Structure formats: structure tokens, C-alpha cells
Amino acid sequence: MSRPVAGPDCCGGLGNIDFRQADLCVMTRLLGYVDPWEPCFVAAVLAIVFNPLFWNVVARWEQRTRKLSGALGSPHVACYALGGVILLLNALRSHWFTQAMRNQPRMDSLDTPTAYQAGLVLLGAGSLLVLSSFAALGFTGTFLGDYFGILKEARVTKFPFNVLDNPMYWGSTANYLGWAVMHASPAGLLLTGVVALVYKAATLYEEPFTAEIYRQKAAQARKHR
């Protein structure tokens, strides 16, 4: 199912392109395919926003109080428990993301074999970043172990962390983008934009705090020399 919204000249002639106007035209065209109040779309947006908020609030609460570790008997058990909850929340987010795409129109210009193959490439690249990040960090490193006092000797700098910062987040974003392109879904593209914005906000919140944890660890190590 597809729904045309604007004619081919909505962004002006090719000889005099205003890229800001072109960006606005693309966004307007995408929004023309999407019902933002469709229940699954709303649920997907809420899940996308809620998940990083949840794990950051819980992790900082644990870092300040150690109550989760105390209740579950050890920092490792508490970290594994939080990791399990995060995995379930992420599965629920992916479910609503997929349902939102299925319930909204497809875009003809994306519904092509070339676009589908491009989506597969994005999905493959994103999966590589996510899986290699997990391999480099391990379970506790991936799921906020540093907030539980489970610290590595130093911050991880090998692949994929030597290619870009926060590869787990951007790999996940690439997965959603690839999934949206494969489904020729304007709703999926808009939801992927929400994913990217939320992850960017999360990194601005998390990175200084994580850096401070390792700064304190290094300072304590110097004191005990």
C-alpha cells in the first residue's frame, strides 16, 4: 500500500536546489505517509524514549546506593538482572517498531530490489557493530557493569571502538534503518530518526559520567602505588 503525497517538482527545479528546502520537502513527504497517532507508532516512540531513560536512571541509582546489588546478593547478579530486563525491553521496542511499519503505508520509491539490498547492507553493518561491541565489552561491560563497580582495567579501545564512539548505539541505529529500508517504510525511517536522537542524548548524558568513573579508578590506583 502506498500513498503519493507530492509531485516531482515539490522541491523546485534541479538547476537551483536549496538543500534546506529539499530536506524540508523530504521530511514533509515522509510525514505525509505517517499517522503519528496510530497506536503502534505511539507505542514504538514511547519504547524508544523509555528504554535508555530506564537503564540510565536505574544504573545511576545503583551507582549511588548499591541497593540493587544488596538486594540480589552481588554486583554481578544485579548487573545480569538489569541486562536481562534491558534485553526484554529492547525486544519489546523492536516489536512495536515492526508493528508500526506494518500498520502504515509503504513508499513506492523505496520498494525496489536495490533499496532492499541497501537495507540488507545496513542491517549487516549494524549487526557487525553490535556483535563486535558485545565481544569487546562482554556482558557486564555492555550492560552498565561500571555503574555496579565492575570495572575493566581500562576503557576498551579495540575494534569497533577504534573506528567510532558508541558503536553499540550506532550499530543498533543502523539495524533499525536497514529494517525500515527493507520494508520501504516511511514510518520506520521516522522512528529510526527518533532512535538516533535518543541515543545521541543518551551519549551526552552517559559519556561524562563513565569517564568520571574511570578517572576516579585511576586516581585511586595512583594513591595505592
Side-chain angles (χ1 to χ4, degrees):
M1 177 180 179
S2 62
R3 182 174 59 191
V5 175
D9 295 328
C10 69
C11 295
L14 292 176
N16 186 22
I17 297 176
D18 183 334
F19 286 102
R20 288 173 297 181
Q21 182 183 354
D23 290 343
L24 181 61
C25 178
V26 170
M27 183 59 67
T28 301
R29 190 174 181 210
L30 286 177
L31 288 172
Y33 283 84
V34 178
D35 174 8
W37 304 114
E38 193 275 323
C40 290
F41 188 89
V42 172
V45 171
L46 292 175
I48 289 166
V49 173
F50 175 77
N51 287 11
L53 179 64
F54 167 79
W55 69 61
N56 273 290
V57 168
V58 172
R60 290 214 178 188
W61 172 72
E62 165 65 15
Q63 198 271 338
R64 289 195 309 270
T65 68
R66 297 294 185 233
K67 287 189 176 181
L68 193 57
S69 294
L72 295 179
S74 80
H76 282 82
V77 173
C79 182
Y80 274 90
L82 178 59
V85 173
I86 291 171
L87 288 172
L88 288 174
L89 288 173
N90 287 347
L92 190 61
R93 176 182 62 185
S94 296
H95 166 75
W96 289 121
F97 188 102
T98 301
Q99 288 302 117
M101 290 194 299
R102 288 176 176 170
N103 290 352
Q104 306 234 18
R106 296 168 69 93
M107 180 182 282
D108 285 342
S109 57
L110 278 179
D111 202 2
T112 67
T114 300
Y116 188 88
Q117 291 165 6
L120 280 176
V121 170
L122 285 166
L123 196 61
S127 297
L128 174 63
L129 289 174
V130 169
L131 293 174
S132 60
S133 296
F134 185 84
L137 293 171
F139 191 95
T140 57
T142 298
F143 293 105
L144 305 160
D146 40 9
Y147 290 78
F148 291 80
I150 307 169
L151 301 179
K152 295 186 174 293
E153 289 301 315
R155 297 190 71 172
V156 175
T157 56
K158 66 181 180 180
F159 182 84
F161 294 88
N162 58 352
V163 175
L164 77 167
D165 294 330
N166 306 296
M168 182 75 74
Y169 283 168
W170 303 127
S172 177
T173 303
N175 283 342
Y176 281 117
L177 179 58
W179 196 232
V181 172
M182 289 169 66
H183 283 77
S185 173
L189 294 176
L190 287 176
L191 288 172
T192 300
V194 178
V195 170
L197 288 173
V198 169
Y199 275 158
K200 181 61 178 178
T203 61
L204 294 175
Y205 184 75
E206 293 169 4
E207 285 184 341
F209 197 75
T210 303
E212 177 61 18
I213 289 174
Y214 279 91
R215 188 197 66 78
Q216 292 177 5
K217 178 180 184 292
Q220 290 175 356
R222 286 194 296 269
K223 285 181 181 179
H224 289 91
R225 285 178 181 173

